[in-house]
Amino acid sequence: FGCLGTAFASFWNDFTLIFRTLGLLIAPSATVKQVGIQDLSSFVGIFSLVQTFVASGILTLLAFTAMLSVNIGVMNLLPIPALDGGRIVFLGYEFITRKKPSKKVETILNNVFFILLMILFVFVTYNDIIRLIKG
């Protein structure tokens, strides 16, 4: 039963780490090195990290994989249009107001945020490739 407690503690640590990191992106702390957009990683950076964790052993790799899974799940639930969290916000609006949001507004918001997310994705991937080339 001890491993169940450890699993929940590990999940909670990974879960809160995401919000602490997002907080540092938005409002840097004086006690922690500033985290910037250049510190984010795409699939290229994650692949490099996986190579490091593979060398550290299977348990370390599994812990990293679990942290990635929690990270993807939480990020997907952020209230950003074009993600599932944005859809939940629209459903919440519909529940509270008892009327559907305008399809035109919903489509425009989803498209704008999708384009912004793709720009972020390209920028972060570009930074990862430059980091990989520089060594």
Side-chain angles (χ1 to χ4, degrees), residues 1 3 6-7 13 34 44 47-48 53 58 64 66 71 74-75 77 79 86 106 117 125 127 130-131 134:
F1 291 106
C3 52
T6 303
N13 185 44
Q34 183 174 352
V44 175
F47 180 76
S48 298
F53 284 106
I58 188 72
F64 179 69
N71 192 321
V74 170
M75 296 301 278
L77 288 175
E106 189 175 346
L117 285 170
T125 303
N127 280 343
I130 294 301
R131 244 182 276 148
K134 288 184 178 180

Side-chain angles (χ1 to χ4, degrees), residues 27-99:
S29 168
T31 59
V32 179
K33 175 191 167 280
Q34 183 174 352
V35 176
I37 195 168
Q38 69 277 0
D39 296 317
L40 299 177
S41 289
S42 70
F43 63 94
V44 175
I46 291 171
F47 180 76
S48 298
L49 287 171
V50 166
Q51 288 178 324
T52 304
F53 284 106
V54 164
S56 298
I58 188 72
L59 291 178
T60 308
L61 179 62
L62 287 174
F64 179 69
T65 304
M67 189 267 308
L68 281 178
S69 296
V70 171
N71 192 321
I72 290 169
V74 170
M75 296 301 278
N76 194 38
L77 288 175
L78 289 177
I80 298 172
L83 297 177
D84 289 339
R87 184 71 195 131
I88 292 170
V89 169
F90 284 122
L91 290 173
Y93 170 82
E94 186 178 337
F95 179 77
I96 292 168
T97 64
R98 301 284 187 222
K99 61 181 184 177

